[in-house]
């Protein structure tokens, strides 16, 4: 497929996906929703195309890194029980410690794979309700996160590049 044909196909596909997302968000096909939805979709497509052409995106995850998503339901369930326990203790008059923590981060390169590892570590880890990643400082080699109750750094996050707490 030629480059221009591939570009046109990707643009149309992006427009269709964004329009489906719009319809899913508004939950109906009423004419007034479509009158607003079509221009919103076109603006979104234009913004995406502008961004892709102006910003050099370096996101090169491996399939194994993307597959780490299978761990999220278990991590979310474990953290949900921890949060419920914190809530019960808070209702009993013993508030949660609520901590900010920092652990070493090993992946500090500016490559597409290192960028993907940081993005996936941040997004996958933040799904869990007790572990909110605030950022990764590559110069200092640290990942900063917030927790309501202290828990170990998930093994998945360690595989992406986080160390264990000191």
């Amino acid at each position: 497929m030629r480059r221009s044909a591939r570009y046109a196909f990707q643009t149309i596909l992006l427009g269709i996906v964004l329009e489906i997302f719009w319809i899913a968000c508004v939950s109906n096909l009423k004419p007034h929703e479509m009158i607003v939805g079509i221009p919103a979709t076109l603006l979104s497509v234009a913004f995406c195309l502008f961004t892709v052409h102006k910003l050099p995106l370096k996101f090169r995850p491996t399939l194994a890194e993307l597959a780490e998503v299978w761990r999220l339901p278990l991590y979310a369930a474990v953290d949900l029980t921890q949060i419920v326990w914190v809530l019960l203790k808070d209702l009993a008059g013993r508030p949660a410690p609520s901590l900010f923590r920092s652990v070493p981060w090993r992946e500090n390169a500016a490559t597409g794979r290192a960028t993907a590892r940081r993005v996936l570590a941040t997004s996958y880890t933040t799904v869990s309700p007790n572990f909110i990643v605030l950022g990764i400082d590559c110069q200092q080699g640290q990942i900063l996160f917030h927790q309501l109750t202290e828990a170990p750094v998930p093994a998945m996050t360690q595989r992406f590049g986080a160390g264990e707490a000191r």
Side-chain angles (χ1 to χ4, degrees), residues 69-99:
V69 74
W70 75 270
R71 298 177 187 280
L72 295 184
L74 178 62
Y75 285 150
V78 168
D79 275 8
L80 187 59
T81 58
Q82 290 175 338
I83 295 297
V84 168
W85 182 244
V86 166
L87 172 65
L88 294 175
K89 288 189 335 188
D90 195 39
L91 291 174
R94 293 175 35 214
S98 185
L99 350 134

Side-chain angles (χ1 to χ4, degrees), residues 41-116:
T41 299
L42 292 174
L43 283 172
S44 298
V45 169
F47 177 75
C48 287
L49 294 176
F50 174 77
T51 304
V52 166
H53 288 294
K54 293 295 180 185
L55 297 176
L57 300 177
K58 296 177 182 171
F59 182 74
R60 305 278 186 264
T62 64
L63 190 56
E65 291 166 349
L66 291 173
E68 289 288 323
V69 74
W70 75 270
R71 298 177 187 280
L72 295 184
L74 178 62
Y75 285 150
V78 168
D79 275 8
L80 187 59
T81 58
Q82 290 175 338
I83 295 297
V84 168
W85 182 244
V86 166
L87 172 65
L88 294 175
K89 288 189 335 188
D90 195 39
L91 291 174
R94 293 175 35 214
S98 185
L99 350 134
F100 287 100
R101 295 177 57 204
S102 173
V103 297
W105 182 260
R106 296 182 302 272
E107 290 285 335
N108 297 326
T111 64
R113 182 151 186 257
T115 300

Side-chain angles (χ1 to χ4, degrees), residues 17-27 33-34 36-37 40-41:
V17 168
L18 289 173
E19 186 62 28
I20 290 170
F21 184 69
W22 174 267
I23 292 168
C25 287
V26 297
S27 304
E33 295 291 353
M34 293 299 108
V36 173
T41 299

